[in-house]
Amino acid sequence: MTNSNSIRTNLTASSVQNEIRLLLSVPKNKYATMILLEGIDDIKLFVSLINNENTYLFESYGGKLGIKNILCKFTSDYRVIGIADRDYETQNIPRLFYCDYCNAEMMIVSNDDSLSYTLFQITSNWLDISVLRKHVLDKLFYFSIIRKLNEELCWGISFEEVPLNEIIINHSDLYRIIALINLKNRSNKLEDDRVSLIESEAKKLAGQNLLNCTNGHDFCKGMLKELKKQYPHTRSVTCLNADEFSSFIRMGYHKNHFKESNLYNALVNYQIEHDLYIV
């Protein structure tokens, strides 16, 4: 059962810390956990996955960095934790728990039962999830590597206006993909030195689990494009946009699926260690 008072939204970045301090001081919250999340979409996801009777969910109002900053203000209280997308993070921070793989969407689509159920609701067919997922991941291979290196090496490349459909169409042609990205980054292009790093990273990641480096929003767009190609006359598919499809993916992910994740196991271990009731 969800406790409606456990969700703290409509605050501000400055008032979140004050609200947390107030709740921590209440005697009945001795075994309660304050959970910081990146945004409202994450609150909507995790509200059905955690123990709402003993937790409070907060938006950080600053994404992952906002979570880190707030955690630094409560270093002495184990009841304040964060859950965030790992993205391409390599640093582990005390009391900050990461979603499996690159981000929440990739944690969700990694679960065969969840993804299969969701796509059945959309297409009315039980699809070969493993084959379909790999097909989409492979088409995003080079683009995902460029995103990863851009983050790790602080290249400052903008992907906002890069046409993902064109990237997918030209998925096997690295130089065409680079040309498409450079068209939108004329003052900060991927030149020869960066291209060499991309090629080296591609060799390193060939055959590895691409869930770790694929952006969830890219994946959802790629998956939806593939479904529209396979079901051009199915209105429940053709009428969907990427944001709606992402929402469907999240709604199909339930507590029984979450229990199979590394994030769930990490939270279980933490709650046992500190006598809390998080999940």
Side-chain angles (χ1 to χ4, degrees), residues 2-274:
T2 300
N3 175 10
S4 60
N5 293 321
S6 69
I7 302 173
R8 290 299 201 265
T9 56
N10 299 318
L11 299 173
T12 65
S14 58
S15 64
V16 167
Q17 294 178 37
N18 292 332
E19 183 74 6
I20 291 175
R21 288 190 182 93
L22 177 63
L23 290 168
L24 290 173
S25 69
V26 176
K28 77 179 184 70
N29 289 331
K30 182 179 180 181
Y31 300 104
T33 305
M34 314 294 142
I35 304 178
L36 294 156
L37 296 158
E38 293 191 54
I40 190 63
D41 285 342
D42 294 315
I43 288 177
K44 290 178 180 179
L45 171 64
F46 282 97
V47 71
S48 65
L49 304 178
I50 50 87
N51 183 334
N52 285 280
E53 293 300 307
N54 296 283
T55 58
Y56 293 87
L57 304 183
F58 292 86
E59 181 178 353
S60 73
Y61 298 95
K64 189 193 304 182
L65 180 59
I67 293 176
K68 292 178 181 179
N69 290 337
I70 295 173
L71 287 178
C72 288
K73 305 296 184 181
F74 296 93
T75 55
S76 62
D77 201 315
Y78 57 82
R79 291 175 293 169
V80 184
I81 69 172
I83 297 176
D85 292 336
R86 180 172 288 278
D87 298 315
Y88 308 107
E89 185 95 38
T90 56
Q91 180 184 16
N92 288 319
I93 295 173
R95 294 177 292 119
L96 179 56
F97 296 86
Y98 292 114
C99 294
D100 291 24
Y101 306 110
C102 192
N103 55 21
E105 283 88 357
M106 300 315 294
M107 178 176 72
I108 292 168
V109 302
S110 72
N111 187 284
D112 288 356
D113 290 340
S114 174
L115 185 58
S116 179
Y117 172 80
T118 299
L119 296 189
F120 175 78
Q121 298 302 313
I122 296 171
T123 67
S124 299
N125 285 282
W126 293 108
L127 306 177
D128 189 330
I129 295 304
S130 295
V131 170
L132 182 58
R133 181 172 52 221
K134 185 179 185 305
H135 183 64
V136 175
L137 289 171
D138 287 344
K139 286 194 171 185
L140 291 168
F141 179 62
Y142 283 129
F143 191 59
S144 297
I145 287 172
I146 295 170
R147 270 196 184 276
K148 178 177 181 289
L149 291 176
N150 181 63
E151 181 74 18
E152 293 175 345
L153 302 177
C154 302
W155 286 345
I157 299 295
S158 172
F159 299 101
E160 188 173 345
E161 296 182 6
V162 174
L164 190 63
N165 282 345
E166 289 294 313
I167 296 288
I168 291 172
I169 290 170
N170 296 278
H171 66 93
S172 61
D173 186 345
L174 173 58
Y175 290 92
R176 177 57 181 158
I177 291 171
I178 289 170
L180 289 167
I181 293 172
N182 284 344
L183 277 175
K184 302 299 180 180
N185 292 271
R186 294 183 183 275
S187 62
N188 184 24
K189 292 185 177 182
L190 296 170
E191 302 287 7
D192 291 347
D193 56 339
R194 292 178 174 179
V195 174
S196 294
L197 291 171
I198 293 166
E199 291 174 329
S200 176
E201 190 73 7
K203 290 178 181 178
K204 186 193 307 181
L205 293 178
Q208 293 192 24
N209 190 344
L210 300 180
L211 293 168
N212 289 311
C213 66
T214 304
N215 177 280
H217 302 299
D218 293 341
F219 181 88
C220 287
K221 290 177 182 177
M223 176 67 81
L224 183 57
K225 178 177 174 59
E226 186 63 30
L227 292 177
K228 288 186 176 185
K229 178 181 176 182
Q230 293 187 21
Y231 297 92
H233 306 297
T234 303
R235 190 173 183 280
S236 58
V237 176
T238 58
C239 71
L240 278 179
N241 62 41
D243 289 338
E244 291 168 338
F245 181 67
S246 179
S247 294
F248 270 110
I249 291 290
R250 285 170 172 253
M251 286 188 291
Y253 191 70
H254 303 141
K255 186 69 170 281
N256 59 310
H257 306 129
F258 185 48
K259 287 181 177 180
E260 298 178 26
S261 70
N262 294 326
L263 173 57
Y264 178 86
N265 289 326
L267 292 172
V268 167
N269 292 335
Y270 187 84
Q271 71 180 12
I272 292 172
E273 179 182 358
H274 296 289

